[in-house]
Amino acid sequence: MRQGERVSAQPNMLLPYVPIRPNHAAKDTAADVGDLWRIIVRRRGTVLFTTAIFLLGALLYSLLAAPLFSATSQLLIDPRNRQVVSRDLNDSAVAPDGGVTVVESQVKVIESDSVLLRAIAETGLEDDPEFGAPTRGLVQETVQGLQTALFGSREVERNRRTLALLKLRRKLAVKRADKVFVVDVIVTVSDPDKAARIVNAIAKAYLADQAEARSNAANRASGELRGRLDSLRTDVNAAETRLEAFKAANGLIASSGRLVSEQQLTDSNARLIAARNRIAETKSKLQDLQGVRGAAFDTSALPEAIQSPTIERLRSQYSELASKEGDLRTQMGARHPYMAAIRTQMSDVKRLIDTELVRITKAAEIELQRAQAAEKLLKANLTELRTESVQTSKATVQLRELESSVQASRSIYDTYLVRSREIAEQANIDTANTRVITWAQPPEERSWPLRGLILSAGLMAGLGIGVGLAMVREYARPALLSRRQCERLLGAPVLATLPRSLNPHDPACQKEAIVALDTLRSQFRPPNGVERALVVVVVASIGDAGEQRSVIDVLSGTAAARGDRVLVVEADLNADDLGKGGLLEVLRGEMSLYAAITTNPATGARWLGIGNGDKPVSGAFDRANVEQFFDHVGGRFDLVLVNGGILPANTRIASVVGSADRLLVVARAGRTLQADLTDLDRVASAMGRAAFGAVLVDDRVRTR
């Protein structure tokens, strides 16, 4: 229904149910950031109660929870293995990612079942009640005996080990900080000594597991190589057998790594060359001998070929005789007898030299003949060997292939044999570059519960959940939070925003009241063109009756201070201060207006009470009576403020609302429910007067 429209209503008739106007919102759940604090303050009971519950629970938990202690051991895992031998089984090079993947993999190894089961066996956690073992007692021993009888001791032991493993996993934490290769192993249990013992056992189990894994890998690789060696040995023997059989079949006999035929061909060729050299030397010697025979004899000019010891001796004798001959010729003359003897001796020596030269020449001729015969034989033998070499060339090609096959098989076999022995020796060497840099010590302080942390967490959780519950409750029954929501729900502007104090003498309240009064008077045209007072009905929703009366006092006091003649009329039939004379009596004609009104000393405005509500009021609020009353007071006052009370509960004044000029709604931000405000607007529209505006009481407005 549009603002300003009136609906005729018959007196003494109950108002029917009117649905919410479609152009008005029934609920506005949108809130600004500043409105959240208002919601929290409004729902502070829920927030404080929830926070107190959580704080109490956190305090009880911190006092009653069993203390836990955490022990830590640090392991340095270097991804580069120690280079013990040059051909190590494990690669010592660093991966492109710096070895982070290797270290992360080792973290998973520490958490593996094999490592944890070693630690469980060493520390005896299977019998620890904290890790799932039954406590000692008659009932527990009886139950354990029944389980052993039904399932067997081995199955019961396996179940206990599995339970201890699950418990240990929950109490274990393996962490690695960024950019480091140090791994922290943390165990949290109820006893500090036990925590340190378990952590150290896990560290030892990890080192032992790594050593065993490397040893097993080396033994497995060595075993696989040994298994392969048998096959390789068989292949080598088969290749050598084929080679020897081929040699025997083709007559390819080798000596010192070479075929005999090849050696013979080479040796024969060398002997032939030597024979030819000998022939050349013999011919040269013979030519020299033949050249010196019968020629002038000069002992110093004899070739080396005929310088035999005999000739040298004879040449020496001949030289001595020649020297004597010269001396005697000088001393005795040429005809001396000694000279003839000397000459005879010299002739004999020369003859002997010639005889020796003849003998040497014949020997050289015989030697030349022998050398030529040997050359002939060697040449024939070489020709025969060459013929045989051509015939065996094809077999030699296949022989080389067989020899290459044997050599390859032998090389592979030797490589596998050496590598197998190296790996077998490496099984006894631990190349892992891992060490414990910090052994766990029993902690002095408990790690849980941390009372400060728990209480802080309880406080934060309580506040968070309390605020959440407050928001949920607010969403279920949202209150009016802001000026925007009030205008949207009523479809009318907020004329003034007053502080909570609502003091008529406060300048801030007066300033806002002046704006509201001027807005109420704007565009006001009295009916029938007759000058009369502006009639404003001030109403409120459930819970805002106190603010409503205070707002009326502020408006009336401000108007009176400006010199206006103001009349405040009480029309709230549910008020507790019903008097003996008032509006009801004036409407019935039982009392005059001037006899019923009084002056409010606080505001300076005139005041008319509701009157005696014990009598029936249906006839008093007849539409004609109400309009006549407003016409009567309209000519004597400038402003008439009617207190309509809680309008949804004061529907009998429908004629008053319908006859008034303005309807002013009073609401309080943070307390007035949106549903109540919407219901008030619906009732007012049904009475024929939609809200002209609203006055919003807001705690956030400061007074001067």
Side-chain angles (χ1 to χ4, degrees), residues 529-571:
V530 179
E531 292 293 335
R532 70 172 180 83
L534 174 67
V535 180
V536 180
V537 178
V538 182
V539 296
S541 60
I542 300 174
D544 296 332
E547 285 78 8
Q548 177 193 18
R549 294 183 182 275
S550 298
V551 168
I552 292 174
D553 291 341
V554 171
L555 294 176
S556 61
T558 302
R562 295 175 65 185
D564 294 340
R565 295 171 297 171
V566 182
L567 174 63
V568 178
V569 179
E570 292 291 340

Side-chain angles (χ1 to χ4, degrees), residues 81-83 88-93 214 217 419 426 431-432:
N81 296 318
R82 289 178 294 185
Q83 190 71 18
D88 199 350
L89 181 64
N90 302 292
D91 188 13
S92 60
R214 294 177 181 273
R419 189 59 176 159
Q426 291 178 19
T431 60

Side-chain angles (χ1 to χ4, degrees), residues 333-350:
R335 297 182 177 276
H336 194 277
Y338 284 157
M339 292 293 295
I342 291 298
R343 292 188 183 95
T344 301
Q345 291 179 0
M346 291 176 64
S347 298
D348 292 339
V349 171
K350 185 180 289 187

Side-chain angles (χ1 to χ4, degrees), residues 589-604:
E590 299 174 355
M591 182 180 293
S592 65
L593 176 63
Y594 292 101
I597 61 176
T598 60
T599 301
N600 187 350
T603 61

Side-chain angles (χ1 to χ4, degrees), residues 566-581:
V566 182
L567 174 63
V568 178
V569 179
E570 292 291 340
D572 186 6
L573 297 175
N574 298 316
D576 296 332
D577 54 349
L578 298 177
K580 297 298 182 181

Side-chain angles (χ1 to χ4, degrees), residues 394-409:
K394 296 182 180 180
T396 304
V397 174
Q398 189 174 358
L399 175 65
R400 291 194 183 97
E401 293 179 357
L402 293 175
E403 288 177 346
S404 299
S405 177
V406 171
Q407 184 179 1
S409 300

Side-chain angles (χ1 to χ4, degrees), residues 235-282:
D235 294 342
V236 171
N237 293 334
E240 291 179 347
T241 301
R242 287 194 301 270
L243 177 61
E244 296 301 328
F246 181 79
K247 287 181 178 180
N250 293 274
L252 302 176
I253 302 174
S255 175
S256 300
R258 296 180 61 190
L259 294 176
V260 175
S261 59
E262 293 180 355
Q263 293 181 0
Q264 289 177 351
L265 181 61
T266 303
D267 295 343
S268 179
N269 190 27
R271 286 195 297 270
L272 178 60
I273 294 173
R276 289 177 178 175
N277 292 333
R278 184 179 177 187
I279 291 174
E281 292 176 358
T282 304

